[in-house]
Amino acid sequence: MDISILKEMFPVLLQGSLLTIELTIISVVIGTLIGIITALMKLSKNKLLACVAGFYTWIFRGTPMLLQLFAFYYVLPFVGVQLSPFQTAIIGLSLNSGAYMAEIIRGGILSVDKGQFEACRSLGFTYIDTMKRVVLPQTFKIIIPSVGNEFITMLKDTSLVSTITMAEVMRKAQILSSSTFRPMEAFFIAGCLYLLMTTIFTTVFSHYEKKLSVY
């Protein structure tokens, strides 16, 4: 392994890691919003809303993310919808994350004591007020470990967007490997950067988990 090659490759791959982090944060934030809406729909007494939410989670949890990205990037143009690689990545990753977040959030809501729903009802709270002021704040404390796992999983799954020409860490490693004929150095740095990112974010989520458990 050539140290000088590592030094040359590192800035390029570091730049790709910034895009990886950007994609992960945006996708998980949007996915969380989608997850909240979907979870509430699945818990709704309205059968149509529950069925729509169930179908969405069934599709996106039951098919590979790679297939979903290919569908958005390569199939949609046949029906007149052309998306850029970045748009495809955000839409694909967010919808996939939303399906998993929906189940995480739904499980968190169901774990809240039912007596609190009844207490809110007796105080005249609407369903929305009950969720916003009482249930969801407790839910997010409960689901922090699961959200952290989803974030780390998404961070690694962003490597799949390299298949639609997004220049994140894995794509840049592939390009450097092909252009320099030095795959060992390129993928070694990529692996180290993934380990560094996952370690940092695991530490951050662990910190907030401990902090919230105090309250």
Side-chain angles (χ1 to χ4, degrees), residues 71-107:
F72 288 122
Y73 192 66
Y74 295 112
V75 178
L76 286 184
F78 287 96
V79 295
V81 180
Q82 187 77 43
L83 298 173
S84 69
F86 185 79
Q87 291 171 327
T88 302
I90 292 298
I91 292 172
L93 296 174
S94 297
L95 288 174
N96 186 277
S97 178
Y100 285 94
M101 286 299 299
E103 290 303 303
I104 292 171
I105 294 168
R106 185 175 72 89

Side-chain angles (χ1 to χ4, degrees), residues 77-205:
F78 287 96
V79 295
V81 180
Q82 187 77 43
L83 298 173
S84 69
F86 185 79
Q87 291 171 327
T88 302
I90 292 298
I91 292 172
L93 296 174
S94 297
L95 288 174
N96 186 277
S97 178
Y100 285 94
M101 286 299 299
E103 290 303 303
I104 292 171
I105 294 168
R106 185 175 72 89
I109 292 173
L110 291 174
S111 67
V112 175
D113 187 356
K114 292 183 179 179
Q116 298 194 37
F117 288 89
E118 296 172 1
C120 290
R121 193 178 300 113
S122 66
L123 291 171
F125 281 26
T126 64
Y127 179 76
I128 294 175
D129 284 337
T130 300
M131 285 293 174
K132 184 171 65 175
R133 298 182 182 182
V134 179
V135 178
L136 288 179
Q138 294 182 69
T139 298
F140 284 117
K141 287 184 181 180
I142 295 168
I143 66 174
I144 279 290
S146 298
V147 172
N149 288 336
E150 171 60 20
F151 189 95
I152 297 304
T153 299
M154 183 57 64
L155 182 68
K156 293 181 288 185
D157 284 349
T158 55
S159 61
L160 295 173
V161 303
S162 64
T163 59
I164 56 171
T165 70
M166 280 293 292
E168 43 67 71
V169 177
M170 187 57 67
R171 178 65 177 173
K172 284 187 176 292
Q174 291 170 343
I175 293 171
L176 286 173
S177 173
S178 299
S179 61
T180 62
F181 301 103
R182 304 294 299 226
M184 181 180 294
E185 287 84 354
F187 291 114
F188 173 77
I189 297 174
C192 289
L193 286 171
Y194 275 115
L195 282 172
L196 177 62
M197 289 186 288
T198 55
T199 301
I200 290 172
F201 285 109
T202 298
T203 303
V204 169
F205 278 102

Side-chain angles (χ1 to χ4, degrees), residues 53-71:
F55 181 77
Y56 159 65
T57 56
W58 175 63
I59 289 291
F60 281 91
R61 294 179 74 213
T63 57
M65 187 188 294
L66 184 59
L67 177 62
Q68 296 161 19
L69 291 170
F70 279 6

